Amino acid sequence: MAIRLGLSLPQARQYDLGRDVPDVARTAERIGYESLWVYERALFPDPPTQGLGGMEGVPWPDHYRAVPEPLVTLTLAVAATERAELGTSVLVAPLHGPFQLAKSLATLDAASGGRVVAGLGTGWSTDEYAAAGVGPFAERGRILDEIIDVCRAVWGPDPVRYEGRHLRIASASVGPKPARPLPILLPSFSRKAMLRLVDRADGWMPIAMAGPRQLEEEWSQLRDLAAERGRTRPIRTSVRVNAQYTAKAYDGSDRAPFQGSVDQMVEDLVAHAGIGLEEFFFDLQGGTRNAQELKDVAAELYEKARAAGI
């Protein structure tokens, strides 16, 4: 069975939000991409008080400046497409009020006819939590757990009732409901996160960044944990690829996965294909100058991947 291919929508500063997001979404669906994705960065500390990903001394990339709100961006894509799934990778869930987030995702899913995928994460930026978090950064895992519970309650049958640490819904009708059971996907970078995923989520959203061997090992660990916990329902998989596109082939022997030309990215995708993961979606926007180049590279990538048997 062919691997599903997806594309991240343009959210970097060089793109025109109102014009380029619908245009790229519509074109990607026409090319054949089966999913479209947005990510979240609430702000850009200037000067930075924390390195990228919480790693000391690692600078934030410039394209993290002025990232548009993800659900607003996704709304533009909902109106421009008919078939492609529409996902968040990831939405930093504890930066959002749980009830309103659940209602917004349900509304998007209803409007799209059942095409939304909720990729949720805890995030890593203490500055974002200081500005927008619904609780302390140290409690982000517990807050995410409650958000998942609130979503399940709000998306379920009326009357909705919920009693938690931060929120109480006594008894209410809440609509619209999602068009179908709305999947929740989570990344997992620790055993605690893997336990949350196995016990509470529908799928896994890793990043392809260290080569196929490490990704395969992580997938094996997750499946072993699922078996240990008695999970019988399948774990959906959607792999994020933060591609570094260059028009000319990268000739360095230390080339990172998915860095270089389209041919080199397809070569890397073929190397990952045997792991048994269902979907790979590409974020190409950091290496393309405008929407036309993004569409051209996305079309070439899709054509060559399918020609390679992906």
Side-chain angles (χ1 to χ4, degrees):
M1 186 172 70
I3 290 174
R4 287 166 48 90
L5 295 178
L7 184 71
S8 288
L9 293 169
Q11 292 174 273
R13 289 197 299 169
Q14 68 265 38
Y15 302 101
D16 182 288
L17 179 66
R19 181 190 65 210
D20 291 344
V21 169
D23 179 32
V24 170
R26 193 178 300 111
T27 301
E29 186 177 70
R30 186 166 60 246
I31 290 168
Y33 283 98
E34 295 165 278
S35 58
L36 303 166
W37 299 84
V38 294
Y39 73 98
E40 179 160 39
R41 279 276 67 83
L43 49 74
F44 188 101
D46 196 7
T49 58
Q50 184 184 26
L52 179 68
M55 297 178 288
E56 187 175 352
V58 181
W60 290 44
D62 190 64
H63 65 261
Y64 276 2
R65 295 180 184 270
V67 175
E69 204 284 330
L71 295 185
V72 173
T73 306
L74 213 58
T75 301
L76 297 171
V78 167
T81 56
E82 298 177 352
R83 299 179 305 279
E85 285 195 315
L86 302 150
T88 58
S89 173
V90 293
L91 196 75
V92 185
L95 303 184
H96 301 261
F99 178 83
Q100 193 57 49
L101 177 59
K103 188 172 173 68
S104 295
L105 287 166
T107 302
L108 270 176
D109 194 68
S112 69
R115 295 187 285 134
V116 172
V117 178
L120 307 179
T122 57
W124 48 264
S125 170
T126 55
D127 290 291
E128 290 183 336
Y129 272 77
V134 301
F137 181 76
E139 295 183 16
R140 61 196 182 279
R142 275 189 255 172
I143 296 169
L144 177 57
D145 286 336
E146 184 160 349
I147 288 172
I148 293 172
D149 288 340
V150 171
C151 284
R152 301 292 193 202
V154 168
W155 299 342
D158 292 327
V160 175
R161 297 183 180 89
Y162 179 79
E163 187 80 39
R165 294 178 71 238
H166 299 91
L167 183 72
R168 178 175 181 267
I169 308 171
S171 179
S173 295
V174 183
K177 300 296 184 184
R180 79 338 183 177
L182 204 162
I184 293 176
L185 276 61
L186 302 175
S188 61
F189 302 107
S190 67
R191 180 172 174 82
K192 182 182 289 188
M194 290 174 68
L195 285 169
R196 177 182 295 115
L197 191 159
V198 167
D199 293 345
R200 305 172 63 82
D202 300 292
W204 182 41
M205 184 171 284
I207 302 175
M209 58 188 299
R213 180 175 296 179
Q214 178 169 320
L215 190 60
E216 186 170 22
E217 288 177 0
E218 293 171 356
W219 177 222
S220 178
Q221 290 171 8
L222 190 61
R223 285 180 295 169
D224 288 346
L225 183 60
E228 176 187 319
R229 304 285 287 184
R231 176 170 174 145
T232 57
R233 59 193 178 100
I235 297 174
R236 172 174 171 165
T237 54
S238 295
V239 183
R240 180 180 182 87
V241 177
N242 293 323
Q244 294 295 317
Y245 165 74
T246 58
K248 294 184 179 180
Y250 182 78
D251 58 4
S253 59
D254 58 344
R255 181 178 69 88
F258 300 104
Q259 178 187 50
S261 67
V262 168
D263 287 336
Q264 288 175 320
M265 285 191 279
V266 170
E267 178 183 316
D268 292 332
L269 186 58
V270 170
H272 285 74
I275 299 174
L277 303 171
E278 300 167 86
E279 178 176 34
F280 286 75
F281 60 93
F282 285 79
D283 189 338
L284 300 167
Q285 62 186 304
T288 52
R289 294 164 296 180
N290 51 49
Q292 187 58 55
E293 185 175 25
L294 175 58
K295 292 187 293 183
D296 291 344
V297 173
E300 182 184 0
L301 175 63
Y302 185 89
E303 179 182 349
K304 289 185 174 180
R306 293 308 188 205
I310 298 300

